[in-house]
């Protein structure tokens, strides 16, 4: 049986046609699920009884369980337990422009980035589509608010779960459902080139962020093993294609790790690497974790790095720090929970 929250509108339309009903029933069901937010089939009053009976045999409505919630200043972190007792997190950030939710895409992660907490617990499995959709629904219902922006920057590598994240985006983006605008959705990847190519062909107006974190191959391969398979030259080339084909800007995320990747030389190299691209760099103060070998760069070094990029005509911002007090850094809450 499939979980109803994991079905795209198109698949639901096919389903109704297959069971000999009308295609537009799919829209009505979507509205019940995502606009009126009913919790059971019985409440869908414009669907006839026999169809409901059939749907009951074909779909489950089961939810994911919120098992912990930690509140910080402008940030709330949630821990969910899935049907098989695996756990994932989501982080809600209150911005002046709306509520942004950081959603997990896998249980654990296989990318092995040396600074990242999520990678400490190897990938156990991909998240199912409904498990991503339900992170949003549960939080909206618990906190009585609407999520306006979604970032796939929680636990996991979204492009290592490509098909599911595409269906997830379809569902939350649908005007008949949650209606979260494509430009309010961001996928962040460590740089899996074949999937970036698929993403270009896919043509959605979703934002693309690349976890760069280094200015040359030697350093990047040390920090991010994926770089050995997909080195910078190839990564930059495919991103240039992305920019050209979609006319969209790419975001580069760059965590500043003290005396690892935050030297003036790195800033100059980075400016050179992405020179002329329609891109901007988001400098991220490192959220210190149990990877004690890495420290957060001090303010002076962060500002120096920023200045060098600016002087070299690179668009750059320094990300506001969110959630260090609630261990919001990628996988920290889950890792801590599993340890205790
Ligand atoms: N796997 C995807 C998305 C998840 S990580 C990716 O690599 O982009 C989301 C972002 O948080 C990435 O840029 C990641 O490198 C960064 N990150 C991981 N650990 C961090 C930490 N301790 N402090 C700050 N950012 C971190």
């Amino acid at each position: 049986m499939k979980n109803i929250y994991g079905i795209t509108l198109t698949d639901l339309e096919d389903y109704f046609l297959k069971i000999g009903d009308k295609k537009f029933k799919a829209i009505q069901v979507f509205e019940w699920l995502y606009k009126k937010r009913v919790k059971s089939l019985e409440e869908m009053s414009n669907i006839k009884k026999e169809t409901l009976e059939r749907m009951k045999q074909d779909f489950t409505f089961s939810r994911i369980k919120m098992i912990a919630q930690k509140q910080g200043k402008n940030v709330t972190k949630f821990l969910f337990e899935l049907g098989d007792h695996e756990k994932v997190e989501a982080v809600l950030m209150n911005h002046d422009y709306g509520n942004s939710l950081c959603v997990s895409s896998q249980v654990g992660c296989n990318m092995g980035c040396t600074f990242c907490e999520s990678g400490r617990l190897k990938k156990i499995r991909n998240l199912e589509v409904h498990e991503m959709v339900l992170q949003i629904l549960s939080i909206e219902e618990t906190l009585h608010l609407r999520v306006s922006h979604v970032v796939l920057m929680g636990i996991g590598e979204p492009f290592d779960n490509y098909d599911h994240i595409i269906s997830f985006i379809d569902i939350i983006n649908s005007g008949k459902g949650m209606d979260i605008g494509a430009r309010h959705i961001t996928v962040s990847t460590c740089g899996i080139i074949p999937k970036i190519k698929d993403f270009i062909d896919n043509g959605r107006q979703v934002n693309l962020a690349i976890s760069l974190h280094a200015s040359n191959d030697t350093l990047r391969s040390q920090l991010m093993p994926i770089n050995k398979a997909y080195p910078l030259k190839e990564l930059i080339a495919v991103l240039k294609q992305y920019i050209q084909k979609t006319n969209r800007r790419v975001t580069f995320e760059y965590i500043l790790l003290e005396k690892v990747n935050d030297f003036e030389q790195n800033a100059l190299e980075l400016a050179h690497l992405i020179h002329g691209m329609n891109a901007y760099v988001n400098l991220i103060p490192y959220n210190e974790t149990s990877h004690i070998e890495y420290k957060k760069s001090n303010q002076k070094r962060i500002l120096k790095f920023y200045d060098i990029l600016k002087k070299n005509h690179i668009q750059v911002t320094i990300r506001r720090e969110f959630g260090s007090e609630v261990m919001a850094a990628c996988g920290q809450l889950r890792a801590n929970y599993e340890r205790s």
Side-chain angles (χ1 to χ4, degrees):
M1 262 209 286
K2 282 199 157 171
N3 190 299
I4 192 106
Y5 295 104
I7 315 276
T8 63
L9 185 60
T10 317
D11 286 347
L12 203 55
E13 285 174 345
D14 290 346
Y15 169 79
F16 280 110
L17 289 175
K18 208 181 80 204
I19 65 166
D21 212 316
K22 300 274 187 316
K23 192 172 155 183
F24 72 85
K25 287 285 152 197
I27 294 181
Q28 292 178 339
V29 169
F30 244 56
E31 285 172 350
W32 283 115
L33 293 174
Y34 300 113
K35 297 229 187 276
K36 298 171 203 152
R37 305 279 167 110
V38 297
K39 297 271 173 41
S40 69
L41 277 172
E42 281 72 22
E43 293 168 74
M44 299 185 180
S45 53
N46 56 2
I47 312 285
K48 62 176 186 272
K49 215 159 165 229
E50 48 187 294
T51 304
L52 290 180
E53 283 309 316
R54 177 68 201 258
M55 286 176 73
K56 250 187 225 168
Q57 288 164 22
D58 295 332
F59 298 117
T60 95
F61 272 74
S62 60
R63 294 285 187 125
I64 58 176
K65 212 157 88 194
M66 194 185 279
I67 56 169
Q69 190 179 331
K70 265 193 168 194
Q71 181 82 48
K73 191 169 167 279
N74 294 323
V75 53
T76 317
K77 178 134 189 166
F78 304 88
L79 190 67
F80 291 104
E81 188 176 285
L82 310 173
D84 57 358
H85 307 296
E86 295 298 345
K87 294 173 190 72
V88 289
E89 317 166 346
V91 182
L92 184 75
M93 290 156 286
N94 311 111
H95 296 281
D96 44 10
Y97 57 78
N99 296 311
S100 173
L101 186 68
C102 177
V103 169
S104 290
S105 58
Q106 297 180 317
V107 181
C109 183
N110 272 347
M111 298 300 121
C113 301
T114 55
F115 48 81
C116 179
E117 200 64 16
S118 300
R120 281 212 190 268
L121 307 156
K122 285 270 158 269
K123 175 172 123 181
I124 294 169
R125 65 174 176 86
N126 285 329
L127 285 196
E128 297 298 328
V129 179
H130 70 270
E131 291 171 327
M132 293 187 267
V133 172
L134 285 167
Q135 291 173 49
I136 307 178
L137 282 184
S138 311
I139 288 168
E140 289 192 331
E141 284 166 14
T142 309
L143 267 54
H144 306 288
L145 50 75
R146 276 296 150 97
V147 167
S148 58
H149 293 67
V150 170
V151 294
L152 275 162
M153 291 189 189
I155 299 171
E157 166 50 45
F159 280 176
D160 187 32
N161 187 12
Y162 186 81
D163 293 343
H164 288 176
I165 67 120
I166 293 295
S167 296
F168 164 70
I169 290 169
D170 269 354
I171 292 172
I172 66 170
N173 178 229
S174 168
K176 308 292 177 202
M178 275 190 235
D179 203 10
I180 299 176
R183 285 162 188 261
H184 286 189
I185 302 171
T186 302
V187 181
S188 176
T189 177
C190 61
I192 302 181
I193 290 179
K195 297 299 167 188
I196 299 177
K197 289 185 176 156
D198 290 348
F199 190 68
I200 297 173
D201 295 338
N202 186 280
R204 282 175 178 69
Q205 292 292 304
V206 170
N207 305 307
L208 180 64
I210 304 291
S211 292
L212 199 63
H213 309 327
S215 55
N216 61 60
D217 276 322
T218 314
L219 183 57
R220 194 163 192 266
S221 295
Q222 276 167 21
L223 297 174
M224 305 175 69
I226 192 75
N227 194 68
K228 294 176 195 152
Y230 304 118
L232 282 174
K233 201 166 160 222
E234 290 169 33
L235 180 61
I236 296 297
V238 78
L239 294 173
K240 284 184 176 163
Q241 279 173 33
Y242 169 84
I243 294 166
Q244 201 212 342
K245 291 209 176 134
T246 61
N247 233 339
R248 309 225 53 212
R249 185 168 75 159
V250 168
T251 304
F252 287 111
E253 298 162 273
Y254 196 105
I255 303 174
L256 289 163
L257 305 163
E258 178 136 298
K259 300 198 177 138
V260 174
N261 65 357
D262 70 344
F263 294 98
E264 292 183 30
Q265 181 62 26
N266 296 118
L268 287 167
E269 244 172 15
L270 175 59
H272 183 70
L273 184 70
I274 64 171
H275 171 80
M277 288 173 80
N278 181 17
Y280 89 100
V281 176
N282 199 195
L283 295 176
I284 308 172
Y286 183 56
N287 224 322
E288 290 177 10
T289 66
S290 51
H291 294 268
I292 46 164
E293 62 274 34
Y294 298 116
K295 291 270 164 272
K296 176 172 141 178
S297 301
N298 69 39
Q299 198 63 13
K300 214 174 129 199
R301 289 176 80 90
I302 296 179
L303 290 174
K304 181 82 198 163
F305 203 96
Y306 173 89
D307 279 343
I308 294 173
L309 292 181
K310 271 260 145 150
K311 280 202 189 92
N312 285 276
H313 315 290
I314 302 293
Q315 295 183 60
V316 54
T317 53
I318 300 175
R319 184 185 288 175
R320 219 170 106 200
E321 263 177 281
F322 264 106
S324 44
E325 78 278 23
V326 291
M327 296 188 294
C330 313
Q332 279 180 287
L333 186 63
R334 172 170 175 264
N336 227 44
Y337 198 90
E338 305 271 324
R339 270 196 289 271
S340 58

